[in-house]
Amino acid sequence: MRRFTAEYLETTRAGMWDDSRAALANLALDSRERVLDVGAGTGELTQVLRAETPGEVLAVDADRELLEHVDPPRTLGDATRLPFRSGAFDLVVCQALLVNLPNPVGALEEFARVSSDRVAVIEPDNSAVTVESSVEGEAALAKRARSLYFDGVETDVKMGEASDLFAAAELDVLGVERYDHQRITKPPYSEQALESIRRKASGAGIETNRETILAGETTADEFDDLRAQWRAIGREAIEQLQDESYQRTETIPFYVTVGTV
């Protein structure tokens, strides 16, 4: 399973569900008594679940350092070997977890075991991510970088809608809803946005993905060329920051698949 830093999770999930929670309707959160958030990470979804349900929401993750960012109740646990009795929860949910697991069906079967009612997964279709930018060429370069990254990843990062996986885990699909998460950079710029642009201009941003990209068919020389183009885009973005003309919108489609045991 791929591992992520707290900074990465907090950055990529910041503001998710702030604009609308309609796609979570099939979770029936207002009637839940015991909810399990699997692969909770730094707890962004956990906070949403706790705000929407009168019941208890327990966060579980295999990474102790990430869990330290989540308010109790929380516990260490592996998504494929959950440390709970069968039927202990009336809803088991995860966000952007199955796309990082080599055996997502096995995880879903474990979700079904500890749920007495519903299972929900919120997974992105990373192949459908779009970028709009005031820097010419940034959208095309970002698309190319994503494609090269996907070539080096062994899990299904393009998952999105998960009905077939539910069927394989013998879960009955109740419904599928789409939620588009937008990450918008515009004036006034947050410190988080400024740091992201600085990392782009220095090449540090793309460098963190070097190992994964090189695990695909990309050569070291091709990666160095990509990094040089990435830095050039970052430098142009910094120039646009001076007159506050830089704007960027990244849209990531998430699919909320809900089923019953």
Side-chain angles (χ1 to χ4, degrees):
M1 176 180 172
R2 290 186 291 154
R3 298 287 183 180
F4 300 98
T5 65
E7 179 184 14
Y8 173 84
L9 293 178
E10 290 170 347
T11 299
T12 57
R13 300 183 183 183
M16 190 168 180
W17 304 110
D18 284 354
D19 55 343
S20 174
R21 297 180 181 177
L24 299 176
N26 286 330
L27 279 64
L29 291 171
D30 59 352
S31 64
R32 296 296 152 198
E33 297 181 359
R34 287 272 290 166
V35 179
L36 181 66
D37 181 10
V38 185
T42 48
E44 281 70 29
L45 179 63
T46 308
Q47 294 179 42
V48 171
L49 298 173
R50 288 174 178 172
E52 295 293 327
T53 182
E56 181 181 71
V57 178
L58 174 63
V60 61
D61 200 282
D63 191 316
R64 185 184 301 273
E65 292 184 4
L66 294 181
L67 269 182
E68 291 177 354
H69 294 257
V70 187
D71 291 333
R74 64 194 185 195
T75 190
L76 282 171
D78 187 321
T80 61
R81 297 187 300 275
L82 293 169
F84 309 109
R85 63 175 174 80
S86 297
F89 303 89
D90 54 8
L91 171 65
V92 179
V93 60
C94 71
Q95 177 172 290
L97 174 68
L98 299 187
V99 290
N100 297 308
L101 297 180
N103 180 17
V105 173
L108 278 175
E109 290 173 341
E110 186 68 349
F111 294 3
R113 181 186 69 80
V114 301
S115 176
S116 63
D117 186 14
R118 297 189 187 186
V119 170
V121 302
I122 304 165
E123 299 295 335
D125 179 358
N126 287 305
S127 66
V129 173
T130 60
V131 171
E132 298 177 11
S133 173
S134 57
V135 174
E136 184 176 357
E138 181 173 8
L141 186 63
K143 183 177 181 179
R144 179 175 169 235
R146 278 196 307 275
S147 178
L148 296 178
Y149 181 84
F150 295 159
D151 287 344
V153 176
E154 296 180 352
T155 60
D156 183 10
V157 293
K158 307 175 184 179
M159 183 180 295
E161 194 263 348
S163 293
D164 289 346
L165 297 178
F166 272 51
E170 298 185 353
L171 286 161
D172 295 324
V173 175
L174 184 62
V176 180
E177 300 291 338
R178 173 171 168 163
Y179 171 79
D180 286 344
H181 176 41
Q182 289 194 322
R183 297 167 57 191
I184 300 174
T185 302
K186 64 180 181 179
Y189 304 112
S190 67
E191 184 55 42
Q192 191 178 74
L194 293 174
E195 177 60 21
S196 176
I197 295 168
R198 293 187 197 107
R199 286 174 56 81
K200 188 174 296 183
S202 69
I206 194 73
E207 189 67 32
T208 59
N209 294 326
R210 181 185 185 92
E211 183 178 349
T212 301
I213 291 175
L214 292 180
E217 298 182 358
T218 304
T219 66
D221 286 344
E222 288 170 336
F223 178 84
D224 289 342
D225 179 64
L226 176 69
R227 184 176 183 273
Q229 293 180 57
W230 199 258
R231 293 185 64 192
I233 290 291
R235 289 193 296 269
E236 187 169 345
I238 287 178
E239 289 180 5
Q240 291 188 9
L241 289 179
Q242 308 309 311
D243 62 2
E244 298 190 337
S245 63
Y246 181 69
Q247 296 193 42
R248 183 182 192 273
T249 300
E250 181 178 40
T251 303
I252 308 100
F254 281 83
Y255 288 83
V256 184
T257 307
V258 181
T260 55
V261 298

